[in-house]
């Protein structure tokens, strides 16, 4: 039970921790106040409890596909917000102090939604053991270990990004945010498949023998890039398309800035 709790919480925490590390590094690069971060933690935590308390009703809505559709909507919204953040980061590099309130607002909303979605899963998992007191200590210890590993990896990413020069922090942050955002679109696609709104297909390949999804490296790669050991052709196409779309937007913005 201890190891299971570690892996369950680590899976939920890691994605948020990596997203936070990149956005906090960009906050430092732009010399912004981190007040948005504390507000997002508070709002996201409260929203996670409310969402977790009502998860059964949400799941039963829309012919039993409510949870999949709500989570897919959250992931797509975060993708759009991260596309806005990366675009404005690039514009801000050429025009100092360019639309900083919009960047902060988009980061706040993206982190709030990410904490709400992942936090609700952790909340439901932990509260399901309240009626099983003998198991509770190992579950709580495992959850703390999983959260500690996740946020430690996030902290390493943060200090790595902060150690770079501003130019390379910007480039690396834009690349990481693009990959993180594409991973979220991939997860949204999988949720649509679970809800039978997209067709299920045979896997294009199986890399589970090389890297298991439930291993710590597999969880890390899942958090960064939405790693899937047995992706279908549709999932690969959507993932590649979402990266291509963001790169086209960023390339267009960079080209326009270079001409000004």
């Amino acid at each position: 039970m201890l190891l299971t709790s570690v892996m369950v919480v680590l899976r939920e925490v890691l994605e948020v921790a990596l997203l936070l590390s990149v956005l906090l590094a960009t906050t430092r690069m732009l010399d912004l106040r981190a007040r948005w971060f504390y507000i997002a933690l508070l709002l996201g935590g409260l929203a996670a409890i409310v969402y977790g308390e009502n998860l059964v009703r949400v799941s039963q809505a829309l012919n039993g596909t409510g949870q999949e559709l709500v989570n897919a909507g959250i992931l797509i919204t975060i993708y759009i917000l991260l596309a806005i953040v990366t675009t404005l980061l690039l514009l801000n590099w050429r025009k100092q102090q360019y639309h900083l309130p919009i960047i902060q607002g988009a980061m706040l909303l993206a982190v709030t939604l990410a904490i709400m979605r992942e936090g609700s899963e952790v909340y439901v998992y932990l509260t399901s053991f309240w009626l099983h007191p003998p198991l509770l200590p190992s579950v709580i210890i495992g959850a703390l270990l999983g959260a500690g590993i996740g946020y430690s990896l996030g902290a390493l990413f943060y200090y790595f990004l902060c150690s770079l020069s501003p130019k390379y922090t910007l480039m690396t942050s834009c690349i990481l945010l693009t990959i993180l955002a594409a991973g979220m679109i991939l997860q949204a696609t999988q949720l649509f498949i679970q809800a039978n709104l997209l067709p299920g297909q045979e896997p294009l390949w199986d890399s589970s023998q090389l890297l298991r999804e439930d291993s710590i490296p597999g969880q890390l790669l899942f958090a960064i890039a939405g790693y899937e050991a047995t992706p279908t052709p549709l999932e690969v196409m959507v993932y590649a398309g979402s990266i291509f779309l963001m790169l086209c937007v960023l390339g267009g913005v960079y080209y326009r800035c270079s001409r000004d």
Side-chain angles (χ1 to χ4, degrees):
M1 187 53 68
L2 180 68
L3 184 58
T4 302
S5 297
V6 171
M7 296 310 297
V8 167
V9 174
L10 176 62
R11 183 183 177 92
E12 304 299 338
V13 164
L14 200 48
E15 188 175 79
V16 177
L18 293 177
L19 178 62
L20 277 174
S21 67
V22 178
L23 294 182
L24 283 175
T26 59
T27 297
R28 180 171 174 171
M29 179 190 70
L30 297 173
D31 201 22
L32 298 174
R33 297 178 67 181
R35 186 170 54 186
W36 69 267
F37 164 69
Y38 300 108
I39 297 173
L41 283 183
L42 177 62
L43 292 178
L46 292 174
I49 294 173
V50 173
Y51 188 38
E53 283 288 334
N54 293 280
L55 205 53
V56 174
R57 293 177 195 164
V58 175
S59 299
Q60 293 172 345
L62 302 171
N63 296 322
T65 62
Q67 185 180 357
E68 286 82 1
L69 296 183
V70 170
N71 283 342
I74 290 173
L75 290 164
I76 292 171
T77 303
I78 296 175
Y79 174 85
I80 295 170
L81 290 168
L82 294 184
I84 292 172
V85 169
T86 50
T87 301
L88 291 180
L89 282 176
L90 209 54
L91 286 171
N92 198 74
W93 183 253
R94 306 293 296 185
K95 302 176 182 180
Q96 298 296 314
Q97 306 298 309
Y98 190 77
H99 290 325
L100 293 182
I102 297 179
I103 294 178
Q104 287 179 297
M107 291 194 294
L108 188 154
L109 186 54
V111 172
T112 299
L113 290 173
I115 293 175
M116 172 186 164
R117 192 178 77 88
E118 307 292 355
S120 65
E121 300 284 346
V122 175
Y123 177 79
V124 169
Y125 176 75
L126 292 179
T127 54
S128 66
F129 287 94
W130 283 1
L131 297 178
H132 305 281
L135 298 175
L136 203 52
S138 61
V139 169
I140 292 176
I141 293 172
L144 291 174
L145 287 173
I149 295 171
Y151 284 114
S152 296
L153 290 171
L156 286 175
F157 259 77
Y158 170 75
Y159 287 113
F160 166 72
L161 290 172
C162 290
S163 68
L164 303 174
S165 66
K167 177 182 177 181
Y168 288 108
T169 300
L170 172 69
M171 290 174 56
T172 309
S173 297
C174 285
I175 292 170
L176 285 174
L177 289 176
T178 299
I179 295 173
L180 281 168
M184 292 181 182
I185 289 295
L186 175 60
Q187 293 179 56
T189 304
Q190 292 165 345
L191 290 169
F192 284 133
I193 293 173
Q194 290 177 27
N196 292 321
L197 294 176
L198 288 175
Q201 298 173 321
E202 291 296 318
L204 196 57
W205 66 73
D206 185 354
S207 58
S208 56
Q209 296 297 322
L210 295 173
L211 183 60
R212 289 171 45 191
E213 291 179 22
D214 58 356
S215 65
I216 291 182
Q219 295 294 313
L220 180 61
L221 199 55
F222 171 82
I224 295 174
Y227 172 67
E228 166 67 49
T230 55
T232 65
L234 177 62
E235 290 171 351
V236 173
M237 185 174 65
V238 171
Y239 181 76
S242 60
I243 287 183
F244 179 74
L245 180 61
M246 277 189 72
L247 290 179
C248 284
V249 172
L250 293 177
V253 171
Y254 181 79
Y255 176 73
R256 184 165 183 175
C257 290
S258 300
R259 295 187 61 186
D260 292 340

